[in-house]
């Protein structure tokens, strides 16, 4: 039982001679039990149960003798092999009956029955039901209150077994156990009890803190009491006892209790003092028992950017060096048994050192400037120079650690023997418990808070002559237990995960000429030290499981480190170090190695260093049979010349554009040779595919390469297409799924490359013929089968996403049957009952509707519209969101066809379908924001598409009114900025439709009021810009409505111009100039249409705010002279002002009697002249 990890040391159960079988002694037959099918243990249990049930309580000597013998027999019996035939309720019944037969005054029997409870619940893995639990808890609590102290240890063990995973059922007993005068609180007082009793009490409290999913957890007062008790135990000085193992189990229970509290209650330690105290003890005990370290930790750690405390005692170099874990020999392992060392001396091993290891470490050693001597480098250097160096060094240097350590805690072999081996084992358990609790602490706290303690747990590069501070890397590099090292690596990975923003501050490229060391440089040196230590750990590690964790941790570091702000070379060391492990015998090591390479590719693909690493010559990588042909090639490579000069093997580098792509293709589709000996001793060679995890990870690396460096991957375009086809033919659905992901990245890369704004030269792009060949091959292969595989809906959805990445020009070049196949499959999958598939199909149809070769086909547009409208009514929000996006694209197509094909297309398109689309879009605009944002876009396009003969129909009138009101509500509502932006855009679209009665209908005032409200006060400047654009759309004075309406719009725009710099969000300031330009354009547009009745309002604003308006309009008119805007924009501004002047002049000519009329004319003309002078000067 997991909860009883440490309990086996609390009570030693009799495991010697078993009692005589009660089958013959008791002569009891259990009715209803079929002994012919049950093992002997189950039969014995039934006999004991029957016997106990037949007894009645008595205070006679004969009864006490009988029950005592029966309890001894039960405790000595091993029921493990009959566990399947022994029911839980029978065990609970037996224990309850045993307790009923015993009086609390019979302390000897109380002790024995408690040992029986502990023994049976642990051995048979039983969780007691609630009814029996209540009775047994009452018995144990009463026994603790009334029995002598010598029985308390056994009672507490029984209590711990009872409450395991039953904490939620013990709520009513918590006051007796954990209240102010609770039994456990009294016993946990270290000054009042011995170590054994104290240990049992903590174990009981730790089991009470274990959470059960879906059940209520400990209330806050009891949780706090337990937490403080555990923390106090960890903070106290070491008890003055000789039993180190007992101390270790005590510490384990305290650590396990804190971990359970953090995991079960999602407790967040917020108080700085409490968090600092917890981190201090965790750091202390993660190093507990490590040889060569004598740590004196402070009671509290405080957040600081620099190391704050190092309380290590000064030791002689020889002693420190012998404590460090040596380099593991990767090639040969000693097969001899370890010999027992003389007393007081470490166990000695014969270490075989080969030249390859020396190359490893010599390559990793940095210069004195980069990495001065530290305690980590010491043990790595001692055995590697040559075989003769072993003679000159201290002989103890070869005895530092077993070279052939296994991956489990059995690394301390029986040959080591004795108390020392057992003590080391339990000390490792303490370190593992501390690290596991540390991991839970990190997960339960805000990462930003923990980064204040970064320097306490992550190594920093020490100065010259200084020793490395103790940190997680101390455990990773020095601990003898592979499991402990793996735990430390998991903690370090958790710290690094999601640390990109924090680490982005690091910088050692810039020149820091200051009197102090900036934090950016300190953090950069910490990152470099992490690289160095993890690479050393890879070389020294002998456990494949721990090696996997090291590589995963390194991948986390690579994913988050800002290499563009660090001196080059780190990634090259990582890259070259990890290459040999791609062909490691252990599958997990191979997978993690590929994960690391994928992290380099996905996070740092644009760096010149990575580009050159990807272009390394392929002849160095693999031999013809897929194995590493030269085991030394990765060690012989030099750092790449980032300036492009003297690049190693530059003459061969053109042979393979990217060796990593070639490697991944090989791993995915090419079998490897596997040899074994048959019964006759002959060697048999077979071809086997790589294990599925390796192939999956290789496919993921391929996808990342295609996504991040498509220009390199396009050389393998057709070959990668063949990889996709072969993956889709696999029986493994995971391989098929990753194949479709790769196809999606290929299609996306081609489409992105062909966009108008692509920076890739035309000569270097994938041409349409290549894209057509790729898709023709894919569609002729098994993709259609994957699309119809209803057993794997995720695969179907992924295949739909891949099919949506077809290049439009390539689609039009495909044979008609292939085009029909794509359309038919997508329309069919849109009827799928699975929401994932339906959403993907709806989105794909939204892509296809934009294809030039399809959008002019009225039948296809109609079929797609019907399919999208069906999905728009789906119960799944995700399906509706995808359908709304596709509906927006479909309505964009309607507008394009209206502009290009005119009335022919509009007349062919069904009026009923158009009305149905309008109603569906109106309803969708009332849905969630994610759906609403595209629904309002579709509404604007549909209202723009309407013709006069649509508008006059009664069936359309009511729908048009409600749809416009929905748009107005979206502009003024509390939706996201995207909804507001699209709603403003939609209103602008409506204003473009001259068939709509803009300026005359009732909704005109509401629409203008919504837009003017937004343009004045919306906190998002892009929404303001879009609303100003909508206000400048009307093409006639009549569309602005009455004079009062016109003046309201004019005054709102002037106010918006004055408020164009009022914002609380600094990020909005970059849009200020665009906003002012758009408002000025709207003002000039309105002025160019003004009539005589509008001029008094305009004159009033000019007279009151002349300086403000003049400055902004002058800036708008000169917006091309500063270089930020094009000459075309400048001419557009001048033209708008000139048009406004012409209109005012025209009004003046028709109204010569108004002597005040030239005011506006003179104002605008002066602005234009100022602009001309600016240009001339």
């Amino acid at each position: 039982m997991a909860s009883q990890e440490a309990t086996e040391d609390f009570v030693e159960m009799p495991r010697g001679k078993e009692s005589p079988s009660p089958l013959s002694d008791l002569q009891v037959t259990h009715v209803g039990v079929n002994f012919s099918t049950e093992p002997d243990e189950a039969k014995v249990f039934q006999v004991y149960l029957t016997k106990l049930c037949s007894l009645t309580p008595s205070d006679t000597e004969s009864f006490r003798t009988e029950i005592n013998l029966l309890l001894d027999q039960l405790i000595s019996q091993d029921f493990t092999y009959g566990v399947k035939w022994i029911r839980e309720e029978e065990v609970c019944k037996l224990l309850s009956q045993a307790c009923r037969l015993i009086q609390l005054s019979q302390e000897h029997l109380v002790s024995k029955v408690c040992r029986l409870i502990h023994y049976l619940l642990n051995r048979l893995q039983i969780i007691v039901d609630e009814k029996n639990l209540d009775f047994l808890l009452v018995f144990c609590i009463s026994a603790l209150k009334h029995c002598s102290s010598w029985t308390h240890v056994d009672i507490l063990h029984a209590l711990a077994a009872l409450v395991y995973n039953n904490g939620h059922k013990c709520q009513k007993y918590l006051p007796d156990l954990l209240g102010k005068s609770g039994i456990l609180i009294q016993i946990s007082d270290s000054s009042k009890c011995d170590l054994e009793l104290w240990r049992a009490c903590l174990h009981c409290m730790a089991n009470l803190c274990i959470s059960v999913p879906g059940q209520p957890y400990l209330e806050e007062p009891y949780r706090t009491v337990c937490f403080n008790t555990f923390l106090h135990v960890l903070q106290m000085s070491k008890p003055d006892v000789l039993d180190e193992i007992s101390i270790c189990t005590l510490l384990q229970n305290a650590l396990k209790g804190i971990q359970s509290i953090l995991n079960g209650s999602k407790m967040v330690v917020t108080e700085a003092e409490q968090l600092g105290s917890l981190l201090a003890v965790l750091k202390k005990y993660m190093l507990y028992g490590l040889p060569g370290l004598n740590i004196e930790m402070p009671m509290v750690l405080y957040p600081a950017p620099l190391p704050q405390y190092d309380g290590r005692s000064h030791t002689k170099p020889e002693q420190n060096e012998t404590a460090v874990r040596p380099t593991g020999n990767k090639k040969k392992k000693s097969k001899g048994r370890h010999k027992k060392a003389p007393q007081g001396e470490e166990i000695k091993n014969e270490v075989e050192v080969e030249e390859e290891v020396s190359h490893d470490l010599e390559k990793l050693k940095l210069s004195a400037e980069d990495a001065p001597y530290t305690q980590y480098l010491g043990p790595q250097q001692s055995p590697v120079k040559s075989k003769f160096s072993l003679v000159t060094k201290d002989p103890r240097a070869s005895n530092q650690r077993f070279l052939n350590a296994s991956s489990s805690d059995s690394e301390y072999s029986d040959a080591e023997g004795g108390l020392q081996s057992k003590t080391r084992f339990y000390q490792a358990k303490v370190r593992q418990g501390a690290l596991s609790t540390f991991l839970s602490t990190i997960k339960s706290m805000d990462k930003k808070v923990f980064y204040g303690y970064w320097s306490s747990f992550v190594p920093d590069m020490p100065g010259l002559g200084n020793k490395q501070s103790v940190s997680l890397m101390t455990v990773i590099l020095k601990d003898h237990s592979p499991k402990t090292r793996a735990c430390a690596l998991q903690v370090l990975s958790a710290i690094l995960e999601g640390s990109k923003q924090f680490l982005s501050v690091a910088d050692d490229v810039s020149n820091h000429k200051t009197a102090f060391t900036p934090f950016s440089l300190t953090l950069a040196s910490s990152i470099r030290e992490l690289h160095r230590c993890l690479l050393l750990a890879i070389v020294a590690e002998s456990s494949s499981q721990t090696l996997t964790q090291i590589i995963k941790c390194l991948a986390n570091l690579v994913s988050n480190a800002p290499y563009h702000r660090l001196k080059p070379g780190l990634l090259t060391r990582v890259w070259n170090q990890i290459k040999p492990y791609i062909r490691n015998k252990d599958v997990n090591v191979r997978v993690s190695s590929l994960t690391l390479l994928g992290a380099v590719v996905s996070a740092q693909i644009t760096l010149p260093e990575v580009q050159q690493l990807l272009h390394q010559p392929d002849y160095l990588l693999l031999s013809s049979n897929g194995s590493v042909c030269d085991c030394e090639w990765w060690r012989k490579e030099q750092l790449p010349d980032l300036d492009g000069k003297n690049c190693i093997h530059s003459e061969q580098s053109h042979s393979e554009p990217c060796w990593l792509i070639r490697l991944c293709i090989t791993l995915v589709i090419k079998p490897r040779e596997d040899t074994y000996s048959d019964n006759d001793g002959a060697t048999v060679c077979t071809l086997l595919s790589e294990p599925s995890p390796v192939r999956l990870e290789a496919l993921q690396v391929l996808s990342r390469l295609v996504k991040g460096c498509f220009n390199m991957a396009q050389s393998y375009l057709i070959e990668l297409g063949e990889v996709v086809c072969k993956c889709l033919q696999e029986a493994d659905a995971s391989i098929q799924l990753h194949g479709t992901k790769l196809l999606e990245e290929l299609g996306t890369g081609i489409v992105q490359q062909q966009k108008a704004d692509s920076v890739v030269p035309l000569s270097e792009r994938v041409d349409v013929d290549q894209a057509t060949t790729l898709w023709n091959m894919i569609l002729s292969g098994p993709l259609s089968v994957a699309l119809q595989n209803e057993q794997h809906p995720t695969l179907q959805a992924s295949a739909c996403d891949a099919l949506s990445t077809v290049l439009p020009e390539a689609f039009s070049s495909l044979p008609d049957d292939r085009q029909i196949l794509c359309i038919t499959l997508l329309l069919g999958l849109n009827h799928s009952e699975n929401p994932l598939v339906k959403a993907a199909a709806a989105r794909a149809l939204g892509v296809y509707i934009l294809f030039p070769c399809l959008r002019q086909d009225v039948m296809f547009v109609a079929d797609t519209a019907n399919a999208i409208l069906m999905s728009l009514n789906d119960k799944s929000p995700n399906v509706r969101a995808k359908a709304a996006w596709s509906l927006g694209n479909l309505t964009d197509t309607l507008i394009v066809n209206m502009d290009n094909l005119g009335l022919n297309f509009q007349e062919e398109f069904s009026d009923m379908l158009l009305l149905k689309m309008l109603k569906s879009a109106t309803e969708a605009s009332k849905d969630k924001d994610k759906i609403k944002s595209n629904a309002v876009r579709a509404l604007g396009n549909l209202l723009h598409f309407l013709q006069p003969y649509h508008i006059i129909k009664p069936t359309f009138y009511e729908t048009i009114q409600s749809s416009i009101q929905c748009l107005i509500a979206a502009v003024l509502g509390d939706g996201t900025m995207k909804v507001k932006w699209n709603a403003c855009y939609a209103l602008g679209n409506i204003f473009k439709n001259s068939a709509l009665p803009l300026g005359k209908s009732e909704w005109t005032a509401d629409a203008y009021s919504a837009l003017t409200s937004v343009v004045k006060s919306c906190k998002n400047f892009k929404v303001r810009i879009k609303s100003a654009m909508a206000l400048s759309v009307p093409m006639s004075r009549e569309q602005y409505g009455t004079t009062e309406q016109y003046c309201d719009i004019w005054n709102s725009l002037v106010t918006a111009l004055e408020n164009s710099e009022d914002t609380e969000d600094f990020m909005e300031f970059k849009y200020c100039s665009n906003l002012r330009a758009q408002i000025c354009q709207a003002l000039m547009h309105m002025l160019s249409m003004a009539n005589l009745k509008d001029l008094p309002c305009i004159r009033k604003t000019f007279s009151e705010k002349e300086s403000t308006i003049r400055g902004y309009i002058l800036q708008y008119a000169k917006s091309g002279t500063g270089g930020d805007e094009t000459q075309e924009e400048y001419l557009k501004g001048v033209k708008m002002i000139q048009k406004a002047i012409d209109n005012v002049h025209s009004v003046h000519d028709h109204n010569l009697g108004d002597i005040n009329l030239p005011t506006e004319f003179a104002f605008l003309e002066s602005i234009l002249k100022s602009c001309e002078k600016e240009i001339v000067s």
Side-chain angles (χ1 to χ4, degrees), residues 383-397:
V384 300
K385 288 292 183 181
S386 68
K387 295 182 180 180
F388 299 102
S389 63
L390 294 175
V391 178
T392 58
K393 291 285 182 180
D394 188 334
R396 288 176 293 177

Side-chain angles (χ1 to χ4, degrees), residues 51-333:
K51 178 60 177 176
L52 276 174
C53 292
S54 66
L55 296 177
T56 56
S58 175
D59 198 24
T60 63
E61 185 66 28
S62 60
F63 172 80
R64 288 197 295 270
T65 302
E66 184 177 8
I67 191 67
N68 184 57
L69 177 62
L70 195 56
L71 292 176
D72 284 339
Q73 290 174 334
L74 277 167
I75 293 174
S76 63
Q77 190 71 38
D78 187 359
F79 295 109
T80 306
Y81 296 102
V83 65
K84 293 182 180 180
W85 286 267
I86 301 176
R87 294 181 299 174
E88 290 188 3
E89 54 268 26
E90 292 178 341
V91 177
C92 296
K93 182 179 179 181
L94 182 144
L95 295 176
S96 297
Q97 178 63 17
C99 292
R100 288 189 182 95
L101 295 173
I102 296 174
Q103 301 177 16
L104 295 180
S105 59
Q106 301 167 338
E107 294 186 348
H108 182 67
L109 295 179
V110 170
S111 176
K112 281 198 175 182
V113 79
C114 287
R115 277 187 280 170
L116 177 64
I117 293 172
H118 173 248
Y119 174 69
L120 288 181
L121 294 184
N122 277 354
R123 186 57 57 93
L124 300 180
Q125 304 285 291
I126 299 295
I127 304 297
V128 182
D129 61 84
E130 190 166 2
K131 179 181 177 181
N132 288 288
L133 178 67
D134 287 339
F135 176 78
L136 293 171
L137 283 176
V138 170
F139 176 84
C140 290
I141 294 173
S142 300
L144 284 172
K145 292 179 178 179
H146 297 96
C147 293
S148 303
S149 59
W150 69 268
T151 63
H152 286 180
V153 172
D154 290 332
I155 299 172
L156 287 173
H157 288 159
L159 188 60
L162 287 169
V163 300
Y164 173 73
N165 269 356
N166 274 326
H168 60 285
K169 301 176 185 177
C170 303
Q171 299 294 330
K172 58 185 177 182
Y173 303 104
L174 292 180
D176 291 331
L177 295 173
L178 299 175
K180 291 184 178 179
S181 58
I183 300 172
L184 296 181
I185 300 301
Q186 294 178 6
I187 297 177
S188 63
D189 188 349
S190 58
S191 62
K192 298 180 181 179
C193 69
D194 59 31
L195 183 61
E196 188 73 17
L197 185 62
W198 192 17
R199 193 173 53 157
C201 176
L202 285 181
H203 182 225
C204 189
M205 294 176 67
N207 278 7
L208 270 173
C209 293
I210 295 175
S211 64
V212 178
Q215 299 296 336
Y217 194 63
L218 282 179
E219 296 178 359
E220 177 64 28
Y222 302 120
R223 190 166 63 233
T224 302
V225 165
C226 291
F227 183 87
N228 292 334
T229 300
F230 296 140
L231 188 59
H232 171 71
V233 171
L234 295 173
Q235 287 178 324
M236 62 171 290
S237 57
K238 189 174 181 179
D240 188 17
V241 295
L242 299 177
D243 188 1
E244 175 68 18
I245 294 176
S246 296
I247 296 174
C248 288
T249 52
L250 177 73
L251 297 174
Q252 286 181 60
N253 287 328
L255 290 166
K256 186 65 177 178
I258 291 180
Q259 184 182 6
S260 297
I261 292 174
L262 293 173
N263 293 340
S265 62
K266 304 299 180 186
M267 178 181 178
V268 179
V269 183
T270 55
E271 296 182 10
E273 191 78 13
Q274 189 181 45
L275 177 59
S277 300
L278 177 58
L279 293 177
V281 297
L282 292 179
K283 182 171 183 179
K284 174 182 178 180
Y285 289 109
M286 77 181 191
L287 302 164
Y288 184 78
L290 276 181
L293 288 178
N294 185 11
I295 306 299
E296 295 180 8
M297 289 298 300
M299 292 295 291
V300 182
L301 288 179
Y302 295 99
L306 296 174
Q308 52 188 308
Y309 187 87
D310 186 2
R312 287 180 300 163
S313 300
H314 294 286
T315 57
K316 295 181 180 180
E318 293 85 353
Q319 294 174 341
N320 193 32
E321 184 175 354
T322 58
V324 185
R325 190 168 56 92
T327 304
N329 188 337
K330 302 289 182 180
K331 298 230 169 181
K332 296 182 180 180
K333 294 186 178 181

